[in-house]
Structures are given as structure tokens and as C-alpha cells.
Amino acid sequence: MPTANQESCEVNNSLDDISLIVDAAIFDLDGTLIDSSDTYFSVIEEILKRLELPLVPREVLLEKMREGVESWGDLFPAESESWKKRLTKEAGTLFKELAPRMLQQNLKLIPGTPETLRQIFAKGIKIGLVTLTHLKYLEDKLYPLKKAGIADLIESIICIEDIPRVKPAPDSLIECAKRMSVLMDKCVYIGDSDIDIKAGRAAGMKTVGVLTGMDNYETLKKEGPDLIIDSVADLLKIIEPCGQAGSS
């Protein structure tokens, strides 16, 4: 059976025949522009060690991340509800202490991200960002983009506090497009997970899956994206501006 990357190469071989004509490119953050999985694993494992709790298999942690579940209690032994609440509170305190430093020290850009965003911006295509990140951690997670000098290219950023419903609901993508004054069908949403593709399709946008993050080729393919590519760097081969932003 071909691997995800092997199957992606089959898609990439035909990129010369594909064009994405858009006024805006909206990106997911984790797994799409930044490589954050190992950092989150390290933070959670350090918290469990400090609480003298058994480590959780990374497959379990990855599934929680994939689901967007933020309940620390799901990771703790269910000895009693009061015990779980205490551990949850202590874990939250430790996360606030450890996460900012570890995020800034360990987060890396997905290869090709700086040049991709610069060239998309130079084409006159607006750039947006939609993330499940909480506002209080956003600055730390944007640090690699700021360090590379590309954070200011992003016109609109939507985080979890900005909308009533999170992905796969389309609210965050719709809000991002509205803030940039771009029609939904003139946008492409690029993400690494099935919920990204679901959200993009629900918003009426073109969708592109990338294989640098959470989900593999088959998982992304099931959601019917317009395209699956190895990484955001491949966008430069296919993305072109419509003309005047917001035109129909």
C-alpha cells in the first residue's frame, strides 16, 4: 500500500495542470504553518511527570489534539470527581507556567512557509489565519512567524475566543473572510486535518489539505478537498489572484 507521502506525490505530479484562482488564502496554524506536535507532547509529558502521573501514549494525546478536546480530566485516573478536578486545576496552572517558554523555544516553521507567504502576499492575495489557539497563547505560537518577518503579512487572525462555534463549524472561516472583505467562494482554506476540510467546505471555500500535520492522505481524502499537497510550499505552483478582492 502506498504511504501518504507517496500518494501525495501522485497528486503533486499533476500540479502543473491545476490553478487555484482566489482573492484570499486562509491558513490553519498548527501542522500547517508551524510544527507544534512535539512541543505539545513535551509540555503535557512534563506536566504529568510533575503531577507524578503515568505518561499517556502519544497516540492518545494526538487523538485528543485531533478532536480538539481540552479537558485535562480525560487524561487523569478517574479515582474520584474531586480528585480529577484538583488534578485538572493543577495541570492548568502548570500549562500556563510551562507552555509560553516551551512554545517559544521549540516551535518551528513548516519548511517553505516564509517564502510561500511572502510570494502569496506579493501576488496581491490576502492572507488570513484561523486557529483553535486561545488568545493568551497566540503571541507565543506566532513567535516563529514574527522571527521570520512574515507575521505582518497576515491581515486577519481568528482565534478560539472570536467565534461561538469552533471547527468543523464554518464560523471562524466565515468571520475571517468577512474581516478581509472577501467572498467565501474567492477564498481557499489550507489545513492539515479533516476538520479543516470540513470547515472549509461548510464555509463554501476551496479547500487544500497538507500532509505536514495531524492527518494522513486517506483521512483528508475522505472529506473531499479540492487538492492534497505535501506542504504549503506547493501552493506557489498553483495559486493565482482573481483580480479585485471581493469581486464576483
Side-chain angles (χ1 to χ4, degrees), residues 58-238:
R58 289 199 168 191
E59 298 78 34
V60 175
L61 295 179
L62 183 61
E63 185 60 25
K64 293 298 179 187
M65 292 168 62
R66 211 185 75 80
E67 294 172 358
V69 175
E70 293 207 353
S71 173
W72 284 103
D74 290 342
L75 302 176
F76 301 144
E79 295 184 14
S80 70
E81 193 60 33
S82 60
W83 172 251
K84 184 176 288 191
K85 286 182 179 179
R86 185 178 72 81
L87 288 177
T88 300
K89 184 176 180 180
E90 291 181 13
T93 300
L94 286 171
F95 188 85
K96 291 176 184 178
E97 172 192 334
L98 296 170
R101 173 177 54 82
M102 295 181 75
L103 287 172
Q104 285 207 12
Q105 288 179 349
N106 300 319
L107 284 184
K108 296 180 177 63
L109 291 173
I110 299 292
T113 294
E115 187 61 22
T116 298
L117 264 60
R118 289 191 185 103
Q119 290 200 34
I120 287 175
F121 183 82
K123 288 174 182 281
I125 297 171
K126 295 184 176 186
I127 298 174
L129 183 68
V130 169
T131 174
L132 291 174
T133 301
H134 284 282
L135 181 60
K136 59 187 174 184
Y137 300 119
L138 186 60
E139 286 298 311
D140 297 312
K141 290 179 69 173
L142 290 177
Y143 179 75
L145 284 77
K146 292 182 177 179
K147 189 176 179 180
I150 55 174
D152 289 341
L153 303 181
I154 302 172
E155 182 170 331
S156 176
I157 300 176
I158 305 298
C159 60
I160 201 168
E161 285 84 4
D162 290 321
I163 33 83
R165 299 185 301 166
V166 300
K167 298 181 290 185
D171 304 43
S172 53
L173 280 68
I174 292 171
E175 179 64 22
C176 188
K178 285 182 177 178
R179 292 187 186 185
M180 294 190 292
S181 300
V182 180
L183 298 175
M184 304 304 150
D185 63 353
K186 303 298 183 184
C187 296
V188 59
Y189 186 54
I190 304 103
D192 68 299
S193 74
D194 59 351
I195 66 168
D196 291 319
I197 307 305
K198 288 177 181 177
R201 286 172 57 84
M205 298 180 180
K206 299 175 179 68
T207 56
V208 174
V210 293
L211 296 170
T212 48
M214 198 164 290
D215 285 332
N216 60 25
Y217 180 92
E218 287 300 330
T219 301
L220 293 173
K221 184 180 178 182
K222 288 177 183 177
E223 301 306 326
D226 293 283
L227 193 63
I228 299 173
I229 56 179
D230 283 328
S231 74
V232 293
D234 287 326
L235 285 173
L236 295 179
K237 304 172 186 176
I238 57 175

Side-chain angles (χ1 to χ4, degrees), residues 1-15 211 216-222 227-230:
M1 176 181 291
T3 65
N5 283 338
Q6 287 172 330
E7 293 190 85
S8 170
C9 287
E10 293 175 14
V11 174
N12 288 349
N13 285 338
S14 62
L15 287 184
L211 296 170
N216 60 25
Y217 180 92
E218 287 300 330
T219 301
L220 293 173
K221 184 180 178 182
K222 288 177 183 177
L227 193 63
I228 299 173
I229 56 179
D230 283 328

